[in-house]
Amino acid sequence: VFLLILATNLADKKYFIRVEKSVDKIYNERLLAKDLLLDVSVKFHKKELAYALNDTAYLRIQNDAVNTDISKLLELFDRAESTRNEEVIIRQLHRNHTRLMELEAKSVSKETLYSSEVAEVFTAINKNIVELAAEQVEEGRNQKILATKAIENANLFSQIEIYFLIFLGIVLQFIVLYNPKKKPD
């Protein structure tokens, strides 16, 4: 009985550790990454709006700081644990940001900043952001499924343990209370 209880408790502990890791992963990697993604998205949209409105003052004064902020946020994405799909999307986002900065360097002297090339880059960046958000949701869903399965397994083992202990209790009661009558010689 002691060994049975020990074994099931060890199994339960393993499942609860798995749940804890899954919950931590959902928070640390998915929700924080979602926050980073929102920050990146807002910065790109402000920049795109400046281009669309031909706001040369914004691009002259704030553009370098915004580019630095975006680069730092993308580096934070690089440090976070990612799936393969996320890594591919983040690399594409890096390339598109680099391409946008190259176009910015060339377009300083032009009167119309929002060219077709810039529009294509912003479209690609927006596509990357949407894909990354979708991937974040999918991976969060996968982590939730893992946590749910671990909880279900822990509950199953707990129920098996209870039924087995009841069975052992009945058997022990029968052994203790059974008093065989001896036949006289």
Side-chain angles (χ1 to χ4, degrees), residues 5-173:
I5 292 171
L6 179 65
T8 54
N9 281 333
L10 290 175
D12 287 347
K13 183 178 179 180
K14 179 180 82 171
Y15 291 121
F16 284 117
I17 288 172
R18 190 178 297 162
V19 169
E20 184 181 21
K21 283 182 182 178
S22 182
V23 169
D24 284 346
K25 194 170 189 174
I26 288 170
Y27 176 75
N28 291 333
E29 294 171 15
R30 302 295 146 213
L31 293 180
L32 293 179
K34 207 63 158 161
D35 186 44
L36 289 174
L37 184 60
L38 180 63
D39 288 346
V40 167
S41 178
V42 166
K43 292 193 183 305
F44 274 122
H45 286 296
K46 283 182 181 179
K47 185 185 279 255
E48 186 174 17
L49 185 61
Y51 269 92
L53 297 175
N54 208 24
D55 188 355
T56 55
Y58 173 87
L59 293 171
R60 206 175 330 113
I61 297 168
Q62 295 180 348
N63 196 41
D64 289 339
V66 171
N67 280 337
T68 303
D69 289 346
I70 290 172
S71 294
K72 286 179 183 177
L73 290 170
L74 292 177
E75 285 176 20
L76 290 173
F77 261 116
D78 286 342
R79 289 187 211 141
E81 189 175 323
S82 307
T83 64
R84 281 190 204 151
N85 289 342
E86 288 172 324
E87 289 173 2
V88 168
I89 296 167
I90 291 168
R91 279 195 302 271
Q92 289 173 347
L93 192 55
H94 272 290
R95 282 193 298 271
N96 288 327
H97 182 235
T98 302
R99 185 170 168 219
L100 181 62
M101 289 189 300
E102 290 169 357
L103 290 172
E104 287 171 351
K106 292 177 187 176
S107 70
V108 171
S109 61
K110 295 181 182 176
E111 284 193 27
T112 305
L113 297 173
Y114 205 72
S115 66
S116 61
E117 273 187 300
V118 170
E120 286 176 20
V121 173
F122 276 118
T123 301
I125 287 170
N126 290 330
K127 180 183 174 215
N128 293 147
I129 289 171
V130 169
E131 288 173 343
L132 201 52
E135 189 66 29
Q136 291 290 320
V137 170
E138 182 64 30
E139 189 58 26
R141 186 179 299 122
N142 291 342
Q143 291 301 318
K144 183 187 178 293
I145 290 169
L146 285 174
T148 303
K149 284 182 182 179
I151 289 172
E152 288 172 358
N153 287 339
N155 285 335
L156 175 66
F157 277 109
S158 294
Q159 289 175 351
I160 290 171
E161 176 184 11
I162 290 169
Y163 291 130
F164 191 72
L165 288 174
I166 291 171
F167 174 74
L168 282 177
I170 292 171
V171 169
L172 287 173
Q173 286 293 326

